[in-house]
Amino acid sequence: MSDEMRNVVKEVATFFVTAIITGRRREKVYEFVQLPELYYAGSHGMDIMGPLPQTSNGVKTYGTKTLDGTGNEVVLFQPANDITCIMDEVYRLLEEKARKISGARIEHNKFCVSVHFRCVKEENWLHLAEEVNSVIKSYPNLYATQGRKVLEIRPSILWNKGRALEFLIRTLGFANRNGVFPIYIGDDQTDEDAFKVVARRRHGLSILVSDSVKETHASHSLQDPNEVLKFLQHLVKWRKMSVRS
């Protein structure tokens, strides 16, 4: 994350409760972003960490109170906490498979495992998928989904980025409040679950980030991260003007 983007996200978080929902490991994303005032939902929302009330507009999520790496008090919610040993085992098996396929990379995201094939030759994609399936077929409580040049191995619980968004809206006390307008920005196929949640609410803004035309449940689009930056800057400017008025 650039300093410019980090600064504008920090400003957004001073006016609005702000969360990052990602397929990556929560701790890794926190290292990228380094903003303690945000909510972080890693592993597609299966590992959620949020600040205590004094650092996030007077609201907090339910979960286990603990300390983060810098000693700040936070709350954790982990609906798949009992699956970590299985994911460790699957990660080791997939690491062995990936060594045989040039360009394949395995990423352990604690509650899910990612198989990246962006650097794999296209003629080897099918072989890689077969190797992944040969591993997960022995684990009936796991399943695979596909994102942008990545296969995601996840536990078979009814949980995704959309469920994570619903959880945050509900536990932050926004579910039954008038005037709540969620804005969700995403660029991956796995963000479609969250776009659907916003669409069902009929009151919110879902934004796909893409430089090409795609089938999506999002209501709007931006072309690239630079346009996202400008959008957030305008959002902050609008909020400051509305506060002054």
Side-chain angles (χ1 to χ4, degrees), residues 103-105 115-121 125 128 148-150:
R105 183 172 65 86
V115 182
H116 297 274
F117 58 92
R118 184 176 299 278
C119 297
V120 175
K121 292 182 179 179
W125 288 358
L128 177 61
R148 296 175 63 190
K149 302 293 178 65
V150 61

Side-chain angles (χ1 to χ4, degrees), residues 114-138:
S114 301
V115 182
H116 297 274
F117 58 92
R118 184 176 299 278
C119 297
V120 175
K121 292 182 179 179
E122 189 170 349
E123 58 262 32
N124 293 327
W125 288 358
L126 179 59
H127 176 50
L128 177 61
E130 290 171 345
E131 292 285 9
V132 170
N133 288 329
S134 72
V135 171
I136 65 172
K137 70 180 182 182
S138 301

Side-chain angles (χ1 to χ4, degrees), residues 3 7 13 23 33 37 45 48 56 60 72 75 80 116 133 135 152 161 173 179 199 221 245:
D3 289 339
N7 289 336
V33 181
E37 52 269 77
I48 299 175
S56 187
K60 73 179 182 69
N72 297 312
V75 286
H116 297 274
N133 288 329
V135 171
E152 304 276 6
K161 289 182 178 180
S221 66
S245 63

